[in-house]
Amino acid sequence: MHEIINTDVLIIGGGASGLAAAITLKQINPQLNVTIAERLSRTGKKILATGNGRCNLGNINISNEYYHGSVKNYMDIIESTPHTDDFFKSLGLYCVNDDMGRMYPYSNTATSVLTVLRNKLSEYNVTEICDFNAQKIEKYKNKFKVYNENTYIIANKLLITAGGCAGNTAFGTDGNMLKLLKQLGHKITPLYPAIAPLNVKNDELKGLKGVRIKGIASAYSDGKKIASEKGEIQFNECSLSGICIFNLSYLYAIYGNHLKISLDLCPDKNYSDITDILYELRKINKDNTLEHYLIGLFNKNIAAYIIKKAEKKQTDKIYSITNQDIKKIASLIKSLAFSVTDQSDWKNAQVTYGGISGESVDSNLQSTVMKNIYFAGEILDVDGLCGGYNLTWAWSSAIYAARKIAESFGGKNGKN
Ligand SMILES: Cc1cc2nc3c(=O)[nH]c(=O)nc-3n(C[C@H](O)[C@H](O)[C@H](O)COP(=O)(O)OP(=O)(O)OC[C@H]3O[C@@H](n4cnc5c(N)ncnc54)[C@H](O)[C@@H]3O)c2cc1C
């Protein structure tokens, strides 16, 4: 075992929050020695994959309704730190918003986001130690020793930004740090994949694989509607996905297998409009077979699926359908139901629902279990919906924790 470095602040995890925290610490107090330890060969790998390579780094519409979590002051944290746009403008990155308020780099590529962060880290002489997988943390005099397999780093204060469990293993986030923090006495709330597909009964999806449709997805539990989302819905072999399903996926953590998803395939038309259309179509195409009945409304796979669900044969003549059949078909179009069987796997999830409980951190995001350990980002029990909300939390909580750490040094160690 040998020591690599002795530093004022060690940031464990070089993702979005770790990088933003290092920059903020140096901006507030250039005298501080700031080190980032990252288990992968480079920092910021996940940032490059965000927003399909475009990095949806924020949103102009920020409010409590887009977040969940047990860290009590998360909205105060977001509101008391610079808006994402302003933080990045101060680093020289310009952003644009789409019509949903989602913020992207002006260049439309995530590489720009990572490059401006990296440029600042090097300008501020932040030490980056890559391929360092923090596996053990122990108290050492008034400091900490953080161990890799055969080396260690000594630090006065730790900021842990090691993320959660979501995403491909190539992003370095498998929940290892949460296990370690649990052993150290922190409370970890149950962890679930969120912004993820929802697995539904296979037989309910037969014939729909690969189809995409715009509609409204509503979540129900025990017959009660819980939430609705409008947008694109995608049918996969064993799951439903698309942004509106992603935004409902955290509900599995609360309702488990009681969760049902109902799809409205024609949100701009009410039930009676649909029945009128179906009567009309019966007249227009009466001598054709049912295979062609809904083809003027939907993709052929959806059209065939609805006819099958209505227990009619594709080969029957359209004139043979009764008014009762039409009511049934209209109901299926307005509320096509699926039973959720399981949560997604972690690799298909974008964020972790759950994390370090609000009970284990104070209002400064400092551990209540071990003083001088701070947290930021996805490792905390705060998560947001799709649309830039999770990166907003990563930047804001990092800036906030960095400010608190910088303040905690005060003038005592001659650092300011
Ligand atoms: C495919 C995908 C697309 C996404 N798109 C968006 C989007 O467009 N907009 C949005 O707002 N959010 C998006 N998210 C979510 C967002 O990327 C995360 O919420 C955010 O990156 C969390 O930042 P973080 O710094 O807390 O953690 P991470 O970015 O996950 O970084 C944690 C870092 O810690 C390192 N680490 C872990 N354990 C250790 C250890 N023991 N020792 C040393 N290092 C360690 C990891 O290697 C990693 O580099 C997306 C997520 C995914 C997976």
Side-chain angles (χ1 to χ4, degrees):
M1 280 284 167
H2 68 275
E3 178 184 324
I4 307 181
I5 201 169
N6 190 327
T7 184
D8 292 324
V9 185
L10 176 64
I11 297 173
I12 305 178
S17 48
L19 304 187
I23 290 169
T24 308
L25 278 163
K26 291 298 273 187
Q27 282 172 337
I28 300 173
N29 190 342
Q31 310 300 316
L32 284 176
N33 295 314
V34 177
T35 304
I36 299 174
E38 164 57 49
R39 74 191 294 196
L40 301 178
S41 57
R42 289 199 83 182
T43 54
K45 277 197 178 172
K46 194 186 278 179
I47 294 174
L48 296 177
T50 57
N52 284 328
R54 294 168 60 213
C55 188
N56 174 199
L57 75 173
N59 199 300
I60 48 168
N61 306 309
I62 297 286
S63 97
N64 200 14
E65 67 186 291
Y66 303 115
Y67 288 97
H68 335 101
S70 62
V71 173
K72 288 185 200 71
N73 57 335
Y74 67 76
M75 274 318 290
D76 294 338
I77 291 173
I78 294 173
E79 281 162 7
S80 68
T81 45
H83 199 268
T84 302
D85 204 6
D86 294 328
F87 173 65
F88 277 96
K89 208 183 271 175
S90 77
L91 306 181
L93 183 89
Y94 282 78
C95 299
V96 281
N97 307 311
D98 69 7
D99 52 4
M100 309 272 287
R102 292 178 295 216
M103 194 182 295
Y104 292 90
Y106 195 81
S107 65
N108 220 12
T109 161
T111 322
S112 304
V113 178
L114 186 54
T115 304
V116 294
L117 291 167
R118 283 214 180 113
N119 286 349
K120 279 288 160 205
L121 293 171
S122 102
E123 182 188 325
Y124 292 156
N125 289 322
V126 171
T127 308
E128 276 186 27
I129 301 176
C130 289
D131 296 313
F132 187 98
N133 186 16
Q135 292 172 347
K136 189 173 145 197
I137 297 173
E138 67 181 25
K139 279 277 204 189
Y140 173 70
K141 298 177 184 159
N142 279 336
K143 301 187 174 197
F144 295 96
K145 257 188 187 179
V146 178
Y147 295 83
N148 188 3
E149 260 157 30
N150 41 27
T151 53
Y152 61 84
I153 298 171
I154 295 180
N156 288 317
K157 292 177 197 277
L158 301 183
L159 172 57
I160 304 186
T161 52
C165 312
N168 193 304
T169 46
F171 303 139
T173 42
D174 57 5
N176 71 97
M177 187 49 76
L178 284 162
K179 286 191 194 127
L180 178 57
L181 291 165
K182 191 174 177 189
Q183 283 163 17
L184 293 175
H186 295 85
K187 184 173 170 197
I188 312 296
T189 61
L191 306 170
Y192 291 90
I195 310 195
L198 281 170
N199 291 346
V200 297
K201 281 188 186 154
N202 271 19
D203 53 345
E204 289 180 350
L205 282 168
K206 252 192 197 130
L208 290 179
K209 187 180 162 192
V211 173
R212 288 163 187 255
I213 188 166
K214 289 227 164 93
I216 293 182
S218 300
Y220 285 81
S221 174
D222 299 329
K224 253 177 73 188
K225 188 161 160 178
I226 314 155
S228 277
E229 288 280 335
K230 195 172 181 178
E232 192 176 78
I233 299 146
Q234 192 178 323
F235 299 90
N236 310 311
E237 192 160 357
C238 318
S239 64
L240 297 173
S241 63
I243 290 183
C244 55
I245 299 294
F246 289 167
N247 279 343
L248 297 174
S249 60
Y250 76 96
L251 292 168
Y252 187 85
I254 303 164
Y255 299 98
N257 292 350
H258 290 268
L259 193 63
K260 298 227 173 332
I261 298 292
S262 169
L263 303 181
D264 179 346
L265 305 179
C266 283
D268 59 332
K269 300 192 186 336
N270 61 29
Y271 175 81
S272 128
D273 296 335
I274 301 282
T275 48
D276 288 349
I277 292 172
L278 294 175
Y279 287 129
E280 193 78 14
L281 287 174
R282 183 173 59 183
K283 261 195 251 160
I284 297 171
N285 281 323
K286 62 182 184 336
D287 291 324
N288 222 323
T289 52
L290 280 177
E291 196 184 350
H292 302 276
Y293 184 42
L294 301 176
I295 221 72
L297 282 175
F298 300 113
N299 151 309
K300 71 175 179 359
N301 295 14
I302 296 214
Y305 183 85
I306 293 169
I307 295 299
K308 199 169 151 212
K309 274 261 160 188
E311 294 167 333
K312 304 303 298 174
K313 281 201 198 113
Q314 307 280 351
T315 47
D316 284 352
K317 293 285 189 194
I318 290 176
Y319 63 70
S320 72
I321 51 168
T322 63
N323 290 357
Q324 208 49 38
D325 293 330
I326 284 188
K327 285 182 186 151
K328 195 170 180 182
I329 293 170
S331 298
L332 285 165
I333 291 172
K334 289 303 283 176
S335 50
L336 194 60
F338 296 88
S339 308
V340 178
T341 53
D342 203 358
Q343 59 190 2
S344 144
D345 48 19
W346 285 110
K347 80 170 183 319
N348 289 312
Q350 292 192 12
V351 77
T352 312
Y353 179 95
I356 298 169
S357 163
E359 287 174 38
S360 290
V361 286
D362 66 15
S363 60
N364 291 340
L365 297 182
Q366 182 175 199
S367 164
T368 52
V369 178
M370 290 174 101
K371 211 169 168 283
N372 290 325
I373 297 186
Y374 293 75
F375 303 102
E378 194 176 317
I379 197 160
L380 286 160
D381 176 23
V382 176
D383 68 286
L385 298 183
C386 218
Y389 296 104
N390 289 297
L391 282 171
T392 298
W393 170 244
W395 319 124
S396 296
S397 56
I399 295 168
Y400 183 88
R403 285 176 177 174
K404 298 297 169 188
I405 293 170
E407 270 169 31
S408 74
F409 276 96
K412 285 180 208 144
N413 63 352
K415 293 285 174 186
N416 64 356

